[in-house]
Each structure stands twice: as C-alpha cells, then as structure tokens.
Amino acid sequence: MVEPVIIAIASVMSWRPQWPECGLAWIEAFDSIPLLVIVEVMRDLDLFKEQSIARYLSMIIHNNLMKVLDPPPDPKPARKAYVYKCGPRKPKVGQALA
C-alpha cells in the first residue's frame, strides 16, 4: 500500500470507529473500492497536492463505505391525501368565487 491510502484508511477508522468492529464486513467493503487506481487518477488529474491526496481519498473511502456499512433507511410510505368527507367548502359571504 502507498502512504496516502494508509493515512486515508486510518482517518476513516477514527471518524467511524464502529466500522472496523464489523470485522469481515469491514474488510469485504474495501473489495469494491479500487484504492490504488483512485490514487493514480488523483495524481494524474494534477488537481491535488501530494500532501492533500490522503485527506480527499479518505472522503472518497468514507462515502463508498457508508453505502455498504450504513445504507440509508427504507423510505417511509407516502401519506395518503386528505379527502374532505363533507364535500367541497362553501364560499363565505362576501368572498369572490373562483
């Protein structure tokens, strides 16, 4: 492993200490993240200083691991629209009709 990868993983471990406690799931989650490829792309883009690659890589790792280890909850079912039981409202005296 290269230095930015090690620093980035250590940062993620400090942000989310519960993730490494997941054991094998934590390790398997990294299978879907091509760490060395990402670092090379970051270097090739020439947008990042060498000293900052680890910081931005840790954000990338965190976002990818969050999808696996902290998936979003299922969306709540849509609420039913309120239906007036008494029929349409009657206009008040003096109110203009639409």
Side-chain angles (χ1 to χ4, degrees), residues 3 6 10 23 27-28 36 39 41 43 48 62 69-70 78 81-82 84-85 92-93:
E3 183 180 345
I6 295 169
I27 296 169
E28 288 175 345
L36 296 178
V39 170
V41 169
R43 286 181 175 145
F48 306 94
H62 180 269
L69 299 173
D70 283 344
Y82 183 79
Y84 289 104
K85 295 182 181 179
K92 294 182 181 177
V93 176

Side-chain angles (χ1 to χ4, degrees), residues 26-42:
W26 160 258
I27 296 169
E28 288 175 345
F30 281 95
D31 289 343
S32 63
I33 307 172
L35 296 171
L36 296 178
V37 172
I38 293 171
V39 170
E40 288 306 314
V41 169
M42 291 173 79

Side-chain angles (χ1 to χ4, degrees), residues 15-76:
W15 293 340
R16 297 288 187 114
Q18 69 274 19
W19 284 354
E21 294 173 2
C22 294
L24 190 57
W26 160 258
I27 296 169
E28 288 175 345
F30 281 95
D31 289 343
S32 63
I33 307 172
L35 296 171
L36 296 178
V37 172
I38 293 171
V39 170
E40 288 306 314
V41 169
M42 291 173 79
R43 286 181 175 145
D44 291 343
L45 287 173
D46 199 30
L47 296 173
F48 306 94
K49 293 181 182 178
E50 188 63 33
Q51 303 88 341
S52 65
I53 287 179
R55 179 174 22 155
Y56 293 106
L57 180 62
S58 65
M59 292 179 206
I60 294 168
I61 293 170
H62 180 269
N63 291 340
N64 281 283
L65 291 177
M66 194 166 34
K67 294 174 189 173
V68 176
L69 299 173
D70 283 344
D74 293 332
K76 294 180 181 177

